[in-house]
Amino acid sequence: MEEFIMVWIIIIVVIALVVFGYIALYNGLQTAKVYTEESWSQIDVQLKRRNDLIPNLVETTKGYAKHERETFAKVVELRNQMVQLPADAHEEKMELSNQLSSSLKSIFALAESYPDLKANQEFARLMEELSNTENKIAYSRQLFNSSAASFNQKLMTFPSNFVAKMHGLTKINYLEVPSEEKAAPKVSFE
């Protein structure tokens, strides 16, 4: 009789360990997923901040560079497209964000052609704020990729990969740098 009770105690302990192990693995996956979602939220906050600064930048530069309307129109169009995207359109947002960053560089380059614009305090303040925001976006992208790597690692390692498959959890794609930004800049000594 004692052996029978001992066998049942062992079975109950083993079942309890399996259940607690399963719960721990599931909670670890969910925690990693939440960190990834939170890190995307940080990117979203910085994109909104940049989007809020763009109308002021365009207004400030318009008076100085009236014949640069094409550049301004492109910046405003990209901003408006980004604002209209659904919250979960991460890849599309980052694609538009990359295009917008490139267009903003064109506006910053205008300052070199217009000394009065370069001396404008409002323009200088906006340039500094946008530059800081671009740095924060870059940092937030790194944080997102680190969080995604942690989550993806849990999806691929034993035994959490079984729990992930049971709950239909899938890999999160990394945010990648556009290929034109990976190229080495052209330098001329002429």
Side-chain angles (χ1 to χ4, degrees), residues 123-134:
F123 180 74
R125 184 188 67 76
L126 287 167
M127 278 186 60
E128 184 176 340
E129 281 191 52
L130 277 166
S131 180
N132 289 339
T133 301
E134 289 292 330

Side-chain angles (χ1 to χ4, degrees), residues 8-9 36 41 51 67 71 85 108-109 113 116 128 133 143 147 157 161 166-167 169 174-175 178 189:
W8 275 106
I9 290 174
T36 304
S41 175
N51 288 342
H67 65 281
T71 305
L85 284 174
F108 291 154
S113 302
D116 290 343
E128 184 176 340
T133 301
L143 177 63
S147 299
T157 57
N161 58 344
M166 290 172 61
H167 292 279
L169 299 174
Y174 298 115
L175 299 176
F189 293 104

Side-chain angles (χ1 to χ4, degrees), residues 4-87:
F4 182 72
I5 292 174
M6 195 59 127
V7 169
W8 275 106
I9 290 174
I10 291 173
I11 290 173
I12 290 172
V13 168
V14 168
I15 289 173
L17 287 174
V18 168
V19 168
F20 287 127
Y22 177 86
I23 290 170
L25 291 171
Y26 179 79
N27 286 344
L29 285 164
Q30 291 303 317
T31 300
K33 185 177 177 188
V34 167
Y35 283 144
T36 304
E37 290 168 353
E38 190 272 336
S39 63
W40 173 259
S41 175
Q42 292 301 319
I43 292 172
D44 229 14
V45 165
Q46 296 308 322
L47 292 178
K48 175 158 181 15
R49 176 176 163 69
R50 181 178 63 190
N51 288 342
D52 291 346
L53 291 170
I54 287 174
N56 293 339
L57 179 70
V58 170
E59 253 337 282
T60 302
T61 55
K62 254 200 255 191
Y64 292 94
K66 293 187 188 304
H67 65 281
E68 303 286 352
R69 294 214 183 273
E70 203 175 285
T71 305
F72 298 130
K74 183 172 184 175
V75 167
V76 171
E77 177 189 339
L78 289 169
R79 175 198 176 270
N80 291 342
Q81 286 177 15
M82 189 180 309
V83 170
Q84 293 172 357
L85 284 174

